[in-house]
Amino acid sequence: MIPDIGWIWDPLVGEQDMAGAQTTALKGAKSARAGTKAGRAVRIVRLVRMVRIVKLYKMTAGDEDIDVEDDGGAEPSKVGKKLTELTTRKVIIITLVRFLLLLLLLLLLLLLLLLLLLLSLRSCSLSEKR
């Protein structure tokens, strides 16, 4: 523990300039913390996967005494139904508006192409008359 206490260790060893060593130690500590956080995240993901595998195993094993929670058959509340209906309507409206805007853009591009074609035909017919 004494080497960790700088104000005791420095006079014993005789090191006066520790700025470079401290910077390196700080960078190493940051890297170690990042590695620790990543390790924790990996462990959580593995745990979630294991729980899913156990649930699937229990469901396929055919044991009637094992209770596996399944919320798939639960009926939504009135508020949930209303929110679902409103969200569905909004998504449909947004999709239709995007489709109509795309269609309008395509029509404008076609009109522009037709206009360019007419202008080029007109310029060709004028150049032939001369």
Side-chain angles (χ1 to χ4, degrees):
M1 284 191 12
I2 292 177
D4 292 336
I5 303 171
W7 58 274
I8 294 176
W9 187 252
D10 288 345
L12 292 175
V13 177
E15 293 182 20
Q16 299 298 330
D17 185 26
M18 294 286 293
Q22 288 177 348
T23 305
T24 306
L26 287 174
K27 288 180 182 177
K30 286 181 183 178
S31 300
R33 282 193 299 265
T36 302
K37 288 179 183 179
R40 288 179 188 155
V42 167
R43 277 185 277 175
I44 290 171
V45 169
R46 286 180 182 164
L47 181 64
V48 169
R49 286 182 182 169
M50 186 61 75
V51 168
R52 285 183 178 174
I53 289 171
V54 168
K55 279 186 177 183
L56 286 173
Y57 176 75
K58 287 179 181 180
M59 289 174 65
T60 57
D63 294 335
E64 275 61 287
D65 59 334
I66 298 174
D67 185 35
V68 179
E69 294 181 21
D70 185 19
D71 294 336
E75 290 292 322
S77 64
K78 290 180 182 179
V79 175
K81 286 180 184 178
K82 189 69 174 177
L83 286 174
T84 302
E85 183 181 328
L86 289 173
T87 304
T88 304
R89 284 184 185 177
K90 286 180 182 180
V91 168
I92 290 171
I93 289 171
I94 289 171
T95 305
L96 288 174
V97 167
R98 287 182 69 195
F99 177 73
L100 290 175
L101 287 174
L102 183 63
L103 189 61
L104 182 64
L105 181 65
L106 288 173
L107 287 173
L108 287 174
L109 285 172
L110 282 173
L111 287 174
L112 182 64
L113 286 173
L114 285 173
L115 182 65
L116 288 173
L117 181 64
L118 288 173
L119 287 175
S120 65
L121 289 174
R122 186 174 180 188
S123 66
C124 287
S125 65
L126 288 176
S127 64
E128 287 178 2
K129 287 183 181 179
R130 291 184 187 175

